[in-house]
Amino acid sequence: ERYNWVVAACGLDAIREYLEREQAPNRSDTGTPEQMEETIHIVDRMPGIRTREHETHRWRQIDISSSGIALTLPADEVGTLEVGQLILVTDDDSSDDRRWHVGVVRRVIQRDMKHFEAGVQFVQGRIRAASIRPEVFGSEQASDFQSALLLERGPEQSPVVFTPHMLYREHHEYLVETGGEACFRINSGALLESTLCYERFEYAPIRLHG
């Protein structure tokens, strides 16, 4: 198991589209890893997000624990990864119960002339695919929805959202959609992390009182 092959999707857009496929309530087929490597193709339901195709990669797992994974990848694919980037890795098999993990690339180092090694720290908690946009009050022009991930860390901790870089605004309202459900509003809390690829911040759902 330590030296298995895994399939990897890199970046918020690719991860969101993969998870929408996996988490769809009425899905009848998850697709094989070979189909995943050709494309992840999801028809988006929200305005402002176009249907996209995202390449995935088949890389060698060289170590794994409950907190992270180490991968080797060819030198000609190292441009796919950035330190501070979100990545999803899943077992390279076609079973319905294959495991997947979302993590953050924490290091990328060269092992030899042909290979690089990447260290990924897993995100702990329950993750859902989402789309998000900041509310712009007093303007007729709404901003586009963008890819996001919602993270539930447990009953004693505030939920967290991962968004593209520079989307965070302190104490601001956002509109969120998950898997075709009705949209709901959230209010941003503390900014926990900001990289060149994403921002991670706490949020609180805004409850409407009738």
Side-chain angles (χ1 to χ4, degrees), residues 58-108:
R58 188 171 181 264
W59 293 330
R60 174 75 77 176
Q61 166 190 308
I62 57 173
D63 200 3
I64 189 169
S65 69
S66 60
S67 60
I69 190 172
L71 306 169
T72 59
L73 57 151
D76 60 359
E77 295 184 22
V78 71
T80 305
L81 284 182
E82 299 178 55
V83 173
Q85 182 183 42
L86 288 166
I87 182 174
L88 180 146
V89 293
T90 184
D91 297 336
D92 185 20
D93 64 53
S94 58
S95 63
D96 289 338
D97 61 347
R98 64 177 179 268
R99 298 165 298 173
W100 56 264
H101 300 278
V102 173
V104 181
V105 179
R106 295 302 187 190
R107 73 175 190 279
V108 179

Short mmCIF file of all heavy atoms in Angstrom, two decimals, residues 58-108:
data_model
loop_
_atom_site.label_atom_id
_atom_site.label_comp_id
_atom_site.label_asym_id
_atom_site.label_seq_id
_atom_site.Cartn_x
_atom_site.Cartn_y
_atom_site.Cartn_z
N ARG A 58 -1.35 10.80 -12.76
CA ARG A 58 -1.12 9.52 -12.08
C ARG A 58 0.32 9.53 -11.56
O ARG A 58 1.27 9.48 -12.33
CB ARG A 58 -1.34 8.36 -13.06
CG ARG A 58 -1.30 6.98 -12.42
CD ARG A 58 -1.75 5.92 -13.43
NE ARG A 58 -1.75 4.59 -12.85
CZ ARG A 58 -0.74 3.72 -12.98
NH1 ARG A 58 0.34 4.06 -13.67
NH2 ARG A 58 -0.82 2.53 -12.42
N TRP A 59 0.44 9.62 -10.22
CA TRP A 59 1.75 9.74 -9.59
C TRP A 59 1.95 8.62 -8.58
O TRP A 59 0.99 8.04 -8.06
CB TRP A 59 1.89 11.10 -8.90
CG TRP A 59 1.93 12.25 -9.86
CD1 TRP A 59 2.40 12.24 -11.14
CD2 TRP A 59 1.48 13.59 -9.63
NE1 TRP A 59 2.28 13.48 -11.72
CE2 TRP A 59 1.72 14.33 -10.81
CE3 TRP A 59 0.91 14.24 -8.53
CZ2 TRP A 59 1.40 15.68 -10.93
CZ3 TRP A 59 0.60 15.58 -8.65
CH2 TRP A 59 0.84 16.30 -9.83
N ARG A 60 3.21 8.35 -8.26
CA ARG A 60 3.55 7.28 -7.33
C ARG A 60 3.52 7.78 -5.88
O ARG A 60 4.11 8.81 -5.55
CB ARG A 60 4.94 6.75 -7.65
CG ARG A 60 5.47 5.72 -6.66
CD ARG A 60 4.81 4.37 -6.81
NE ARG A 60 5.33 3.65 -7.96
CZ ARG A 60 4.99 2.40 -8.27
NH1 ARG A 60 4.10 1.76 -7.54
NH2 ARG A 60 5.49 1.81 -9.33
N GLN A 61 2.78 7.06 -5.05
CA GLN A 61 2.78 7.32 -3.61
C GLN A 61 3.98 6.61 -3.00
O GLN A 61 4.16 5.41 -3.18
CB GLN A 61 1.49 6.79 -3.02
CG GLN A 61 1.46 6.67 -1.51
CD GLN A 61 0.23 5.92 -1.05
OE1 GLN A 61 -0.89 6.25 -1.43
NE2 GLN A 61 0.43 4.89 -0.25
N ILE A 62 4.82 7.34 -2.25
CA ILE A 62 5.99 6.70 -1.64
C ILE A 62 5.88 6.63 -0.12
O ILE A 62 6.65 5.91 0.52
CB ILE A 62 7.30 7.42 -2.03
CG1 ILE A 62 7.26 8.90 -1.65
CG2 ILE A 62 7.57 7.24 -3.52
CD1 ILE A 62 8.58 9.62 -1.87
N ASP A 63 4.94 7.35 0.45
CA ASP A 63 4.71 7.25 1.90
C ASP A 63 3.36 7.87 2.20
O ASP A 63 2.90 8.77 1.48
CB ASP A 63 5.80 7.97 2.68
CG ASP A 63 5.88 7.49 4.13
OD1 ASP A 63 5.13 6.55 4.48
OD2 ASP A 63 6.69 8.03 4.90
N ILE A 64 2.70 7.39 3.25
CA ILE A 64 1.40 7.93 3.63
C ILE A 64 1.19 7.71 5.12
O ILE A 64 1.68 6.74 5.70
CB ILE A 64 0.25 7.28 2.83
CG1 ILE A 64 -1.08 8.02 3.07
CG2 ILE A 64 0.12 5.79 3.15
CD1 ILE A 64 -2.19 7.61 2.12
N SER A 65 0.50 8.66 5.76
CA SER A 65 0.11 8.55 7.16
C SER A 65 -1.25 9.20 7.32
O SER A 65 -1.85 9.67 6.34
CB SER A 65 1.15 9.23 8.06
OG SER A 65 1.10 10.64 7.88
N SER A 66 -1.74 9.27 8.53
CA SER A 66 -3.03 9.90 8.76
C SER A 66 -2.99 11.40 8.52
O SER A 66 -4.03 12.04 8.33
CB SER A 66 -3.50 9.62 10.19
OG SER A 66 -2.57 10.15 11.13
N SER A 67 -1.79 11.99 8.52
CA SER A 67 -1.68 13.44 8.39
C SER A 67 -1.21 13.91 7.02
O SER A 67 -1.26 15.11 6.72
CB SER A 67 -0.72 13.99 9.45
OG SER A 67 0.56 13.43 9.30
N GLY A 68 -0.73 12.98 6.16
CA GLY A 68 -0.25 13.44 4.86
C GLY A 68 0.25 12.32 3.98
O GLY A 68 0.18 11.14 4.32
N ILE A 69 0.78 12.72 2.82
CA ILE A 69 1.25 11.77 1.82
C ILE A 69 2.46 12.37 1.11
O ILE A 69 2.58 13.60 0.98
CB ILE A 69 0.12 11.46 0.81
CG1 ILE A 69 0.49 10.29 -0.11
CG2 ILE A 69 -0.25 12.69 -0.01
CD1 ILE A 69 -0.67 9.82 -0.98
N ALA A 70 3.38 11.50 0.69
CA ALA A 70 4.53 11.91 -0.12
C ALA A 70 4.40 11.27 -1.49
O ALA A 70 4.07 10.08 -1.61
CB ALA A 70 5.84 11.48 0.54
N LEU A 71 4.63 12.05 -2.54
CA LEU A 71 4.46 11.60 -3.92
C LEU A 71 5.74 11.84 -4.71
O LEU A 71 6.48 12.80 -4.43
CB LEU A 71 3.32 12.37 -4.59
CG LEU A 71 1.95 12.38 -3.90
CD1 LEU A 71 1.04 13.40 -4.58
CD2 LEU A 71 1.32 11.00 -3.94
N THR A 72 5.99 11.01 -5.71
CA THR A 72 7.02 11.31 -6.69
C THR A 72 6.34 11.56 -8.03
O THR A 72 5.35 10.91 -8.37
CB THR A 72 8.03 10.16 -6.84
OG1 THR A 72 7.36 8.96 -7.24
CG2 THR A 72 8.78 9.93 -5.55
N LEU A 73 6.89 12.50 -8.79
CA LEU A 73 6.31 12.84 -10.08
C LEU A 73 7.43 13.15 -11.06
O LEU A 73 8.53 13.56 -10.67
CB LEU A 73 5.37 14.04 -9.95
CG LEU A 73 5.93 15.33 -9.37
CD1 LEU A 73 5.17 16.52 -9.96
CD2 LEU A 73 5.75 15.35 -7.85
N PRO A 74 7.17 12.94 -12.36
CA PRO A 74 8.19 13.22 -13.37
C PRO A 74 8.55 14.70 -13.39
O PRO A 74 7.72 15.57 -13.12
CB PRO A 74 7.51 12.79 -14.67
CG PRO A 74 6.39 11.91 -14.28
CD PRO A 74 5.93 12.39 -12.94
N ALA A 75 9.79 14.98 -13.74
CA ALA A 75 10.26 16.36 -13.77
C ALA A 75 9.46 17.21 -14.75
O ALA A 75 9.25 18.40 -14.51
CB ALA A 75 11.75 16.39 -14.13
N ASP A 76 8.97 16.60 -15.84
CA ASP A 76 8.23 17.39 -16.82
C ASP A 76 6.81 17.73 -16.37
O ASP A 76 6.09 18.45 -17.06
CB ASP A 76 8.21 16.70 -18.19
CG ASP A 76 7.55 15.33 -18.15
OD1 ASP A 76 7.11 14.90 -17.06
OD2 ASP A 76 7.47 14.68 -19.21
N GLU A 77 6.38 17.21 -15.19
CA GLU A 77 5.06 17.55 -14.66
C GLU A 77 5.13 18.39 -13.40
O GLU A 77 4.10 18.72 -12.82
CB GLU A 77 4.27 16.26 -14.37
CG GLU A 77 3.94 15.44 -15.60
CD GLU A 77 3.07 14.24 -15.30
OE1 GLU A 77 2.38 14.25 -14.25
OE2 GLU A 77 3.08 13.29 -16.09
N VAL A 78 6.34 18.77 -12.98
CA VAL A 78 6.47 19.49 -11.71
C VAL A 78 5.84 20.87 -11.79
O VAL A 78 5.42 21.44 -10.78
CB VAL A 78 7.95 19.59 -11.29
CG1 VAL A 78 8.71 20.55 -12.20
CG2 VAL A 78 8.07 20.00 -9.83
N GLY A 79 5.72 21.43 -12.99
CA GLY A 79 5.08 22.73 -13.14
C GLY A 79 3.62 22.73 -12.76
O GLY A 79 3.01 23.78 -12.56
N THR A 80 3.03 21.53 -12.63
CA THR A 80 1.63 21.40 -12.22
C THR A 80 1.44 21.79 -10.76
O THR A 80 0.36 22.23 -10.37
CB THR A 80 1.17 19.94 -12.42
OG1 THR A 80 1.41 19.56 -13.76
CG2 THR A 80 -0.30 19.78 -12.11
N LEU A 81 2.49 21.61 -9.94
CA LEU A 81 2.38 21.81 -8.50
C LEU A 81 3.04 23.10 -8.05
O LEU A 81 4.08 23.49 -8.57
CB LEU A 81 3.04 20.64 -7.76
CG LEU A 81 2.28 19.32 -7.72
CD1 LEU A 81 3.09 18.31 -6.91
CD2 LEU A 81 0.91 19.49 -7.10
N GLU A 82 2.43 23.72 -7.04
CA GLU A 82 3.02 24.87 -6.36
C GLU A 82 2.93 24.64 -4.86
O GLU A 82 1.94 24.07 -4.38
CB GLU A 82 2.28 26.16 -6.70
CG GLU A 82 2.27 26.56 -8.15
CD GLU A 82 1.46 27.83 -8.35
OE1 GLU A 82 1.78 28.85 -7.69
OE2 GLU A 82 0.52 27.81 -9.15
N VAL A 83 3.93 25.08 -4.13
CA VAL A 83 3.83 25.05 -2.67
C VAL A 83 2.69 25.98 -2.26
O VAL A 83 2.58 27.11 -2.74
CB VAL A 83 5.15 25.49 -2.02
CG1 VAL A 83 4.99 25.62 -0.51
CG2 VAL A 83 6.25 24.49 -2.36
N GLY A 84 1.81 25.49 -1.38
CA GLY A 84 0.65 26.26 -0.98
C GLY A 84 -0.57 26.02 -1.84
O GLY A 84 -1.58 26.70 -1.68
N GLN A 85 -0.52 25.01 -2.71
CA GLN A 85 -1.64 24.70 -3.59
C GLN A 85 -2.48 23.57 -2.99
O GLN A 85 -1.96 22.68 -2.33
CB GLN A 85 -1.10 24.26 -4.96
CG GLN A 85 -2.16 23.93 -5.99
CD GLN A 85 -1.53 23.44 -7.29
OE1 GLN A 85 -0.58 22.67 -7.27
NE2 GLN A 85 -2.03 23.92 -8.41
N LEU A 86 -3.79 23.61 -3.24
CA LEU A 86 -4.67 22.51 -2.84
C LEU A 86 -4.58 21.38 -3.85
O LEU A 86 -4.46 21.61 -5.06
CB LEU A 86 -6.11 23.00 -2.73
CG LEU A 86 -6.43 23.90 -1.53
CD1 LEU A 86 -7.77 24.59 -1.72
CD2 LEU A 86 -6.42 23.11 -0.23
N ILE A 87 -4.67 20.14 -3.35
CA ILE A 87 -4.58 18.97 -4.21
C ILE A 87 -5.50 17.89 -3.66
O ILE A 87 -5.67 17.78 -2.44
CB ILE A 87 -3.13 18.46 -4.31
CG1 ILE A 87 -3.01 17.26 -5.26
CG2 ILE A 87 -2.57 18.13 -2.94
CD1 ILE A 87 -1.57 16.82 -5.50
N LEU A 88 -6.13 17.13 -4.53
CA LEU A 88 -6.91 15.96 -4.14
C LEU A 88 -6.22 14.72 -4.68
O LEU A 88 -5.82 14.69 -5.85
CB LEU A 88 -8.34 16.05 -4.68
CG LEU A 88 -9.28 14.88 -4.34
CD1 LEU A 88 -10.71 15.40 -4.16
CD2 LEU A 88 -9.27 13.79 -5.41
N VAL A 89 -6.05 13.71 -3.84
CA VAL A 89 -5.49 12.43 -4.28
C VAL A 89 -6.48 11.32 -3.97
O VAL A 89 -7.16 11.35 -2.94
CB VAL A 89 -4.12 12.13 -3.62
CG1 VAL A 89 -3.07 13.11 -4.09
CG2 VAL A 89 -4.22 12.15 -2.10
N THR A 90 -6.59 10.36 -4.88
CA THR A 90 -7.51 9.25 -4.70
C THR A 90 -6.84 7.97 -5.16
O THR A 90 -5.91 7.99 -5.98
CB THR A 90 -8.82 9.48 -5.47
OG1 THR A 90 -9.73 8.41 -5.20
CG2 THR A 90 -8.58 9.54 -6.97
N ASP A 91 -7.29 6.84 -4.62
CA ASP A 91 -6.74 5.55 -5.01
C ASP A 91 -6.87 5.34 -6.51
O ASP A 91 -7.88 5.71 -7.12
CB ASP A 91 -7.47 4.41 -4.29
CG ASP A 91 -7.29 4.48 -2.79
OD1 ASP A 91 -6.29 5.07 -2.34
OD2 ASP A 91 -8.15 3.95 -2.06
N ASP A 92 -5.87 4.72 -7.10
CA ASP A 92 -5.89 4.43 -8.53
C ASP A 92 -6.58 3.09 -8.77
O ASP A 92 -5.96 2.10 -9.15
CB ASP A 92 -4.46 4.40 -9.08
CG ASP A 92 -4.44 4.23 -10.59
OD1 ASP A 92 -5.46 4.52 -11.23
OD2 ASP A 92 -3.40 3.80 -11.12
N ASP A 93 -7.88 3.05 -8.51
CA ASP A 93 -8.67 1.86 -8.81
C ASP A 93 -10.10 2.31 -9.11
O ASP A 93 -10.45 3.47 -8.94
CB ASP A 93 -8.63 0.83 -7.68
CG ASP A 93 -9.26 1.33 -6.39
OD1 ASP A 93 -10.42 1.80 -6.44
OD2 ASP A 93 -8.60 1.27 -5.34
N SER A 94 -10.92 1.38 -9.55
CA SER A 94 -12.27 1.73 -10.00
C SER A 94 -13.34 1.33 -8.99
O SER A 94 -14.52 1.34 -9.32
CB SER A 94 -12.56 1.05 -11.35
OG SER A 94 -12.41 -0.35 -11.23
N SER A 95 -12.96 0.98 -7.76
CA SER A 95 -13.95 0.55 -6.78
C SER A 95 -14.80 1.72 -6.31
O SER A 95 -14.36 2.87 -6.29
CB SER A 95 -13.26 -0.10 -5.58
OG SER A 95 -12.43 0.83 -4.92
N ASP A 96 -16.04 1.43 -5.90
CA ASP A 96 -16.94 2.48 -5.44
C ASP A 96 -16.51 3.08 -4.12
O ASP A 96 -16.91 4.19 -3.77
CB ASP A 96 -18.37 1.93 -5.31
CG ASP A 96 -19.01 1.66 -6.67
OD1 ASP A 96 -18.54 2.26 -7.66
OD2 ASP A 96 -19.94 0.84 -6.73
N ASP A 97 -15.73 2.32 -3.32
CA ASP A 97 -15.35 2.81 -2.00
C ASP A 97 -13.90 3.30 -1.96
O ASP A 97 -13.28 3.33 -0.92
CB ASP A 97 -15.54 1.71 -0.95
CG ASP A 97 -14.69 0.48 -1.23
OD1 ASP A 97 -14.14 0.38 -2.35
OD2 ASP A 97 -14.58 -0.38 -0.33
N ARG A 98 -13.36 3.69 -3.11
CA ARG A 98 -11.99 4.19 -3.11
C ARG A 98 -11.89 5.45 -2.27
O ARG A 98 -12.82 6.26 -2.21
CB ARG A 98 -11.49 4.45 -4.53
CG ARG A 98 -12.23 5.53 -5.30
CD ARG A 98 -11.59 5.73 -6.66
NE ARG A 98 -12.27 6.74 -7.44
CZ ARG A 98 -13.27 6.49 -8.28
NH1 ARG A 98 -13.68 5.25 -8.43
NH2 ARG A 98 -13.85 7.46 -8.95
N ARG A 99 -10.77 5.62 -1.61
CA ARG A 99 -10.58 6.73 -0.69
C ARG A 99 -10.05 7.96 -1.42
O ARG A 99 -9.32 7.84 -2.39
CB ARG A 99 -9.59 6.33 0.40
CG ARG A 99 -10.05 5.16 1.26
CD ARG A 99 -8.88 4.60 2.05
NE ARG A 99 -7.84 4.09 1.16
CZ ARG A 99 -6.65 3.66 1.57
NH1 ARG A 99 -6.34 3.70 2.85
NH2 ARG A 99 -5.76 3.20 0.70
N TRP A 100 -10.43 9.13 -0.95
CA TRP A 100 -9.85 10.36 -1.46
C TRP A 100 -9.52 11.28 -0.29
O TRP A 100 -10.14 11.23 0.77
CB TRP A 100 -10.77 11.06 -2.47
CG TRP A 100 -12.16 11.38 -1.98
CD1 TRP A 100 -13.29 10.64 -2.15
CD2 TRP A 100 -12.56 12.54 -1.22
NE1 TRP A 100 -14.36 11.25 -1.56
CE2 TRP A 100 -13.96 12.42 -0.98
CE3 TRP A 100 -11.89 13.65 -0.73
CZ2 TRP A 100 -14.68 13.37 -0.27
CZ3 TRP A 100 -12.60 14.61 -0.02
CH2 TRP A 100 -13.98 14.46 0.20
N HIS A 101 -8.51 12.11 -0.49
CA HIS A 101 -8.08 13.07 0.52
C HIS A 101 -7.80 14.40 -0.17
O HIS A 101 -7.24 14.44 -1.27
CB HIS A 101 -6.79 12.62 1.21
CG HIS A 101 -6.89 11.32 1.93
ND1 HIS A 101 -7.41 11.20 3.20
CD2 HIS A 101 -6.53 10.06 1.55
CE1 HIS A 101 -7.37 9.93 3.57
NE2 HIS A 101 -6.84 9.22 2.59
N VAL A 102 -8.17 15.49 0.50
CA VAL A 102 -7.78 16.83 0.06
C VAL A 102 -6.65 17.30 0.98
O VAL A 102 -6.71 17.10 2.20
CB VAL A 102 -8.96 17.81 0.12
CG1 VAL A 102 -8.49 19.24 -0.16
CG2 VAL A 102 -10.03 17.39 -0.89
N GLY A 103 -5.63 17.90 0.39
CA GLY A 103 -4.51 18.37 1.19
C GLY A 103 -3.88 19.62 0.59
O GLY A 103 -4.33 20.14 -0.43
N VAL A 104 -2.82 20.07 1.24
CA VAL A 104 -2.08 21.26 0.82
C VAL A 104 -0.64 20.85 0.52
O VAL A 104 -0.01 20.15 1.32
CB VAL A 104 -2.09 22.35 1.91
CG1 VAL A 104 -1.34 23.59 1.43
CG2 VAL A 104 -3.52 22.71 2.29
N VAL A 105 -0.13 21.25 -0.63
CA VAL A 105 1.26 20.98 -0.98
C VAL A 105 2.15 21.85 -0.09
O VAL A 105 2.09 23.08 -0.15
CB VAL A 105 1.54 21.27 -2.46
CG1 VAL A 105 3.00 21.01 -2.80
CG2 VAL A 105 0.62 20.44 -3.35
N ARG A 106 2.98 21.21 0.74
CA ARG A 106 3.83 21.95 1.67
C ARG A 106 5.29 22.00 1.22
O ARG A 106 6.04 22.88 1.65
CB ARG A 106 3.75 21.32 3.07
CG ARG A 106 2.38 21.42 3.72
CD ARG A 106 1.91 22.84 3.84
NE ARG A 106 0.67 22.96 4.61
CZ ARG A 106 -0.05 24.07 4.70
NH1 ARG A 106 0.34 25.17 4.06
NH2 ARG A 106 -1.16 24.10 5.41
N ARG A 107 5.71 21.06 0.37
CA ARG A 107 7.08 21.11 -0.14
C ARG A 107 7.16 20.41 -1.49
O ARG A 107 6.40 19.48 -1.77
CB ARG A 107 8.06 20.46 0.84
CG ARG A 107 7.98 18.95 0.89
CD ARG A 107 9.06 18.33 1.77
NE ARG A 107 9.11 16.89 1.62
CZ ARG A 107 8.31 16.03 2.23
NH1 ARG A 107 7.37 16.48 3.04
NH2 ARG A 107 8.44 14.73 2.02
N VAL A 108 8.06 20.88 -2.33
CA VAL A 108 8.38 20.23 -3.61
C VAL A 108 9.90 20.29 -3.75
O VAL A 108 10.48 21.38 -3.79
CB VAL A 108 7.71 20.93 -4.81
CG1 VAL A 108 8.10 20.23 -6.10
CG2 VAL A 108 6.19 20.95 -4.66
#
